């Protein structure tokens, strides 16, 4: 383990999800390495999500623009640690999640972003594993073909705060119909070193696969996100760049990732209102 680990800010977008958020925050309280801070982004909740977050010691950021893209970006803007770790309000994090993220970034200074998969909880073990593979396997296959590299996964990703401030003006934060992790992948994957770690596993809610409407909405948003970035980032543009080495992901020539110190927000825009 590196002697000095970077400070990790956890960002959790949330809309009317207080019971799940409480369980997520409880899993963060049991981390072997505690996060530098937890930022819960209240995306206009009408339940007690913000109160639950405050009781658990989180800093609450209010984001009135609806949608996960706006909420996630507001949290990233507000983060004060060197590393931003992102999960969903209904995730359950293993006890070593923060430690592994911090150690991986400390051991690889040129890495800009890190992501891992998830496993559905609440199902019998064989069924949960099978559904997880089918759900995420289709995501990684489809997005990998479209992007020219593996995508980041929004329920389980981390990036350097300094890198976020370099690309924050490019993401489509005000489009609620986009998948923010796919948008982030499009702006990171061929310019910076991004790593997929299959053993960095988190528990994810089965809500994504319960009901046909949920699946249809997720796939519709995925194709909408890709369409918004075309033709400049279409597969027939990205794959030649990848194959010729002009913008590789995870290997070769990428922009360096410069770490920042906790509280170092030089060059950043003003953070959203917090309480």
């Amino acid at each position: 383990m590196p002697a000095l680990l970077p400070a990790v800010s956890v960002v959790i977008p949330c809309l009317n999800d207080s019971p799940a958020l409480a369980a997520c925050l409880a899993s963060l309280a049991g981390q072997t390495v505690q996060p530098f801070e937890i930022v819960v982004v209240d995306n206009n909740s009408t339940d007690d999500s913000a109160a639950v977050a405050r009781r658990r010691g989180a800093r609450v950021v209010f984001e009135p623009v609806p949608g996960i893209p706006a909420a996630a970006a507001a949290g990233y803007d507000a983060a004060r640690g060197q590393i931003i770790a992102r999960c969903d309000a209904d995730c359950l994090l293993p006890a070593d999640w923060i430690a592994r993220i911090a150690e991986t970034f400390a051991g690889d200074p040129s890495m800009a972003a890190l992501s891992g998969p998830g496993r559905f909880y609440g199902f019998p073990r064989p069924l949960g594993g099978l559904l997880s593979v089918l759900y995420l396997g289709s995501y990684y296959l489809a997005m990998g073909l479209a992007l020219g590299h593996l995508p980041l996964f929004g329920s389980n990703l981390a990036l350097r705060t300094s890198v976020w401030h370099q690309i924050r003006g490019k993401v489509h934060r005000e489009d609620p119909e986009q998948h923010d992790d796919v948008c982030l992948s499009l702006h990171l994957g061929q310019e910076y070193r991004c790593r997929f770690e299959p053993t960095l596993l988190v528990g994810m809610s089965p809500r994504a696969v319960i009901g046909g409407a949920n699946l249809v909405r997720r796939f519709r948003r995925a194709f909408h996100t890709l369409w918004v970035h075309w033709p400049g980032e279409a597969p027939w543009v990205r794959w030649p760049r990848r194959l010729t080495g002009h913008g590789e992901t995870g290997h070769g020539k990428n922009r360096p990732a410069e770490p920042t110190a906790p509280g170092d927000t030089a060059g950043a825009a003003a953070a959203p209102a917090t309480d």
Side-chain angles (χ1 to χ4, degrees):
M1 178 187 298
L4 184 62
L5 296 178
V8 178
S9 296
V10 178
V11 170
I12 309 174
C14 184
L15 172 63
N16 294 333
D17 215 0
S18 61
L21 176 64
C24 177
L25 293 174
S27 71
L28 282 168
Q31 295 292 302
T32 58
V33 172
Q34 284 296 302
F36 177 70
E37 63 177 348
I38 300 173
V39 179
V40 172
V41 184
D42 176 13
N43 200 201
N44 258 329
S45 296
T46 56
D47 69 354
D48 62 342
S49 292
V52 166
R54 293 188 191 99
R55 283 199 300 269
R56 296 278 183 168
R59 181 160 59 99
V60 177
V61 171
F62 179 70
E63 175 50 63
V65 178
I68 295 177
Y76 301 159
D77 284 345
R80 298 167 180 164
Q82 294 164 286
I83 306 298
I84 299 168
R86 153 77 191 282
C87 67
D88 291 327
D90 55 10
C91 284
L92 296 177
L93 296 319
D96 62 350
W97 189 60
I98 296 293
R100 292 192 61 191
I101 288 172
E103 289 166 9
T104 302
F105 277 96
D108 190 353
S110 67
M111 184 180 68
L114 173 69
S115 188
R119 182 187 178 93
F120 290 123
Y121 57 76
F123 289 113
R125 190 169 184 85
L127 179 59
L130 177 61
L131 288 175
S132 302
V133 169
L134 290 174
Y135 176 72
L136 283 179
S138 63
Y139 170 68
Y140 288 127
L141 177 61
M143 291 299 104
L145 290 172
L147 300 177
H149 54 81
L150 285 177
L152 302 170
F153 179 44
S155 299
N156 185 14
L157 70 84
L159 71 157
R160 294 189 188 275
T161 307
S162 56
V163 170
W164 164 248
H165 287 301
Q166 291 172 29
I167 58 97
R168 63 182 296 279
K170 299 179 181 179
V171 300
H172 297 75
R173 66 172 70 203
E174 295 188 358
D175 184 348
E177 292 304 310
Q178 285 204 43
H179 278 314
D180 67 299
D181 48 4
V182 176
C183 180
L184 195 61
S185 300
L186 280 156
H187 296 294
L188 277 176
Q190 291 194 323
E191 294 292 330
Y192 298 84
R193 285 193 58 245
C194 303
R195 174 175 166 184
F196 175 74
E197 177 48 65
T199 65
L200 184 68
L201 193 70
V202 303
M204 58 184 183
S205 169
R207 291 185 290 190
V209 293
I210 296 177
N214 283 334
L215 285 173
V216 169
R217 182 173 67 252
R218 288 174 184 274
F219 279 102
R220 185 183 69 242
R221 286 179 174 176
F223 287 110
H224 170 70
T225 306
L226 295 174
W227 179 257
V228 166
H229 291 84
W230 289 7
E233 297 296 336
W236 51 89
V237 176
R238 293 180 69 85
W239 273 102
R241 285 205 306 249
R242 170 71 185 273
L243 295 174
T244 58
H246 296 289
E248 302 175 27
T249 179
H251 311 280
K253 301 176 181 177
N254 302 98
R255 293 187 188 182
E258 294 295 337
T260 57
D264 180 6
T265 56
T274 63
D275 58 7

